[in-house]
Amino acid sequence: MTSDRLQRFRDRLSLPLIAAPMFLVSGVELVVAACRNGVIGSFPTVNCRSTEQLEQWLGEIATRLQQHADQTGRKAAPTCPNLIVHRSNTRLEEDLAVLLRHRPEIVITSVGSPAPVLKPLHDAGALVMADVASIRHAERAAEAGADGLVLLTAGAGGQTGWLNPFAFVRAVRAFFDGIIVLAGGISDGCALHAAEVLGCDLAYMGTKFIATRESMADDRHKQMLVDSSADDILLTTAFTGLQTSMLKPSIVAAGLDPDDLPARGAIDIGKDIDVTARENRPKRWRDIWSGGHSASGVTDVLAVDDLVARTIAEYRGAGGR
C-alpha cells in the first residue's frame, strides 16, 4: 500500500520507516542521522527546553542535512516534528508558530485532535499525521482532515495503545485511504515488510533507536534494552495515569516492586509534604524508562548508520522493495 500523498518523498526514503518521536530520547543527532540514512527523523517539540531551543534545533537540523545533500548529491529524508496538541502543552501556540516559520514537510500530532492545527500546517505545506489509539479516534482524525494516521498498538513503548495491530490496521484501512503508520512491535526489516503487506505505508521503529549511539537516552537505559526481552516490558498506569510500557528492571532499580505498584498515576504526582522525599522520588522517564515489545530485538548499541543498514538488509531479504 502506497498512499499518493507520500510520492513526493518516496525517492528520498531507503525504508518506509519513521524513527519514532520519543520523549527525552529523540534529539538533533538522532534526527540528522536517521534522515541522512533515508529514514524519516522525528522528535517531540517538547524535548526542547524552550521555543527558542526549538528554533535552534530546526535550524541546525536543516543546515546539517543541506550540507549532507551538497556533499553526496542526495536529498535527505524529511524531518518530522511531533506536536503535542493537548491543553497541557502550554507552548502549543508558540511551538506551532516556529514550525510554520520552518515549514516542515511532515508533522505528527499527539494526545488530542489535530483539528486546531490542521489548516495552518496545511497552508504551510505540511502533511499532518495524527496518532490514534482507537477506531473512534481514527475516525475523528480522518473526518478532521488528517493526511495520515499513526496507529498506536499493543506493544509500542511509552504511552501506548491496546489494540491488536492486525485488527487495528485492517479496520482503519477499510474506511481510510490516506497514510497509515503502524506503531508498535517493529523490531526489524522483516516486521517492517509485514506492516506493508498488512496495508501500512510506513511504520515507527522506536525501541531500537533508543539503543543507538546518537539517541539522548541514558547509557544505562540503552544497555538495559540490550539485556532485556519482551518479558521485561510492563504495561502499567502507575506512572502516567495512562497505559504505558515500561522496563521492569528500571522499576526495580528505582526501589519499586513491579508486581506491587501504587494506584493509577500515584507515582511522581509531586504532592509529598516532605520536600526531600519529593526530590528523591523516582521520576518517570528520568528514572523509570520505557521500552516496547521489540526489546527482544535489541542485541547491541549501534550507530544509526549500522542499524539502518541492517534493517535494509532484513527488509530486502523479506521481500521488501
Side-chain angles (χ1 to χ4, degrees):
M1 184 69 191
T2 302
S3 170
D4 291 342
R5 304 179 203 194
L6 282 177
Q7 288 307 315
R8 69 177 99 163
F9 312 125
R10 188 59 61 183
D11 62 352
R12 294 158 55 190
L13 301 182
S14 62
L15 289 165
L17 188 64
I18 299 173
M22 295 173 285
F23 185 53
L24 301 183
V25 170
S26 307
V28 171
E29 296 301 325
L30 181 53
V31 170
V32 169
C35 291
R36 62 179 172 74
N37 276 284
V39 171
I40 296 170
S42 66
F43 70 97
T45 63
V46 294
N47 275 2
C48 301
R49 293 187 301 272
S50 64
T51 301
E52 291 73 23
Q53 187 176 50
L54 175 58
E55 190 98 50
Q56 293 167 2
W57 277 26
L58 289 169
E60 181 179 353
I61 291 167
T63 297
R64 291 174 60 179
L65 291 180
Q66 184 58 54
Q67 291 171 345
H68 167 76
D70 293 343
Q71 293 167 0
T72 64
R74 299 191 308 273
K75 194 171 182 180
T79 301
C80 178
N82 171 214
L83 194 60
I84 307 301
V85 294
H86 191 266
R87 62 181 178 276
S88 61
N89 180 10
T90 57
R91 278 174 28 198
L92 175 58
E93 290 186 12
E94 291 82 0
D95 284 1
L96 175 61
V98 172
L99 297 189
L100 295 178
R101 286 196 294 274
H102 284 265
R103 302 178 71 86
E105 296 174 281
I106 310 173
V107 173
I108 296 169
T109 65
S110 296
V111 200
S113 170
V117 299
L118 271 171
K119 187 178 187 307
L121 286 170
H122 279 160
D123 288 347
L127 289 177
V128 180
M129 301 193 289
D131 67 15
V132 295
S134 70
I135 301 296
R136 184 61 190 132
H137 287 156
E139 291 172 341
R140 289 175 177 171
E143 290 165 1
D147 302 290
L149 302 175
V150 180
L151 308 189
L152 303 177
T153 70
Q159 291 185 348
T160 185
W162 52 87
L163 291 176
N164 176 284
F166 290 92
F168 200 3
V169 172
R170 297 313 301 163
V172 172
R173 185 50 83 194
F175 64 82
F176 184 66
D177 63 0
I179 301 162
I180 289 182
V181 185
L182 177 62
I186 302 298
S187 60
D188 58 21
C190 183
L192 179 60
H193 179 52
E196 281 190 303
V197 173
L198 191 59
C200 299
D201 301 283
L202 298 164
Y204 271 9
M205 181 178 282
T207 300
K208 292 189 82 169
F209 277 104
I210 296 175
T212 58
R213 296 174 191 165
E214 292 86 351
S215 93
M216 297 192 302
D218 188 299
D219 286 343
R220 295 169 299 165
H221 186 181
K222 299 177 187 182
Q223 188 58 46
M224 189 175 287
L225 284 169
V226 172
D227 297 335
S228 297
S229 74
D231 286 347
D232 294 301
I233 305 302
L234 177 68
L235 186 64
T236 177
T237 61
F239 302 100
T240 68
L242 299 174
Q243 295 281 6
T244 308
S245 294
M246 295 296 204
L247 278 163
K248 289 182 185 178
S250 70
I251 297 171
V252 172
L256 300 169
D257 181 355
D259 297 321
D260 187 26
L261 291 174
R264 183 185 182 98
I267 295 176
D268 194 26
I269 59 176
K271 292 183 179 179
D272 304 84
I273 295 174
D274 186 328
V275 174
T276 301
R278 181 167 67 245
E279 290 302 316
N280 291 333
R281 171 180 282 174
K283 302 290 184 182
R284 58 194 177 201
W285 315 123
R286 187 196 70 185
D287 302 302
I288 311 295
W289 296 322
S290 66
H293 290 180
S294 57
S296 285
V298 180
T299 57
D300 45 11
V301 177
L302 297 172
V304 168
D305 289 5
D306 296 329
L307 173 58
V308 174
R310 180 182 294 182
T311 307
I312 290 172
E314 295 162 345
Y315 175 72
R316 291 177 179 168
R321 293 175 292 141

